[in-house]
Amino acid sequence: MDKIKVLFVDDDMVLGNIVTLALEDSGYEVHYQTSLAGIKMVVKEMQPDIMVLDVEIGAKNGIEVVPELKAIVPETPVLIVSSHVESENVMKALEAGAVTYLKKPFEIVELLAYIQRFVKTFRVKGLEVGRLHLKAEESLLMKGDETVRKLSTLECKLLKMLALNLNRTVTREQIELELWGDYVTESSEQSLNNYIAKLRKYLVEDKRLELATIPKVGYKLSDGE
C-alpha cells in the first residue's frame, strides 16, 4: 500500500517541524505548511488521506475552511488541533465536519494514534454489504446501478463500521467513539438509536441482511450466511 498522506497546517513552525519529522519517521508522507494560502489547490493535487489543521492559522481560522476542504475530498477525515479548549470551539469543529479535536499540547504518540485510527476507517473506499454496495467516498448505498440512499456522513461511518465487522458484534462504546470521538454526550445514545433505525430501513433492500441489537452490548450486522 502507498504511504499514507498527511496534510498538516499550523503556523507554529517549531511544532510543525517536530510533527513533520515524527510523522515521516513513522512512514507517513507529509505536506506541511504554515498558512492556508493555496490550501484548496494543495488538497486537490495531493488528495491527502487525512488533514490536520490548527484553529488559529495567522489571521485565519482553520475550522472555517473545513467545509470547503471536505467539499473537495469528502471522505478525508479532518483533525483539528488547538490550545483553545473552549467547548464552543470544539462543537464548531465537529459541526464543520472534523472527526475530533486534539488539545495542545499533545504527545506525538497521541497524534499518531488518532491518525492511524481515522485513516484505517476512512481509507476503505467501497464495501460489499450483502447484495448491496457502499460507495464510501460518495456516501451512497447502491443496489446494482441503482442508488438506494444517499447517506449522511455519520450514517455512512456507522454502516461502514458495521460492514467491516460483518457477523461480529460491535459495542455501543466502540460505535460512539467512532462517531463522536471523545465528545460523546447524553444525546449521543438517542442519536445512535435513530441512526440504527434508519439503517434498518435502508437495508431492507436485501432481505438477507439483519441488523440485530445485542442487549446491553451493541449491534451486529449479519448477512444470513
Side-chain angles (χ1 to χ4, degrees), residues 115-126:
I115 290 175
Q116 291 166 1
R117 171 184 156 199
F118 288 113
V119 168
K120 180 180 178 181
T121 300
F122 280 81
R123 233 187 182 198
V124 178
K125 304 302 182 184

Side-chain angles (χ1 to χ4, degrees), residues 15-49:
L15 174 65
N17 289 328
I18 291 172
V19 170
T20 297
L21 288 173
L23 292 179
E24 288 177 343
D25 286 344
S26 297
Y28 295 99
E29 178 183 332
V30 184
H31 175 87
Y32 168 60
Q33 61 183 65
T34 58
S35 76
L36 291 170
I39 191 68
K40 292 182 185 178
M41 186 59 65
V42 170
V43 169
K44 286 179 182 177
E45 294 179 356
M46 181 183 180
Q47 293 291 306
D49 292 298

Side-chain angles (χ1 to χ4, degrees), residues 92-108:
K92 283 182 179 178
L94 297 178
E95 289 171 359
V99 291
T100 196
Y101 193 103
L102 183 57
K103 298 171 184 178
K104 293 180 178 178
F106 54 82
E107 298 291 336
I108 293 297

Side-chain angles (χ1 to χ4, degrees), residues 58-144:
K60 297 191 176 182
N61 187 306
I63 295 174
E64 293 175 357
V65 80
V66 171
E68 299 174 40
L69 302 184
K70 293 288 286 184
I72 301 170
V73 283
E75 193 60 20
T76 299
V78 178
L79 224 149
I80 295 293
V81 296
S82 179
S83 57
H84 296 279
V85 297
E86 300 84 0
S87 58
E88 182 181 355
N89 270 338
V90 175
M91 293 307 299
K92 283 182 179 178
L94 297 178
E95 289 171 359
V99 291
T100 196
Y101 193 103
L102 183 57
K103 298 171 184 178
K104 293 180 178 178
F106 54 82
E107 298 291 336
I108 293 297
V109 290
E110 188 178 5
L111 177 61
L112 286 169
Y114 274 115
I115 290 175
Q116 291 166 1
R117 171 184 156 199
F118 288 113
V119 168
K120 180 180 178 181
T121 300
F122 280 81
R123 233 187 182 198
V124 178
K125 304 302 182 184
L127 277 172
E128 299 303 320
V129 187
R131 293 192 177 102
L132 306 179
H133 179 76
L134 177 63
K135 297 176 71 173
E137 285 187 315
E138 302 166 65
S139 295
L140 293 176
L141 182 62
M142 308 291 295
K143 186 176 184 179

Side-chain angles (χ1 to χ4, degrees), residues 58 155 205:
E155 287 172 348
E205 293 290 335

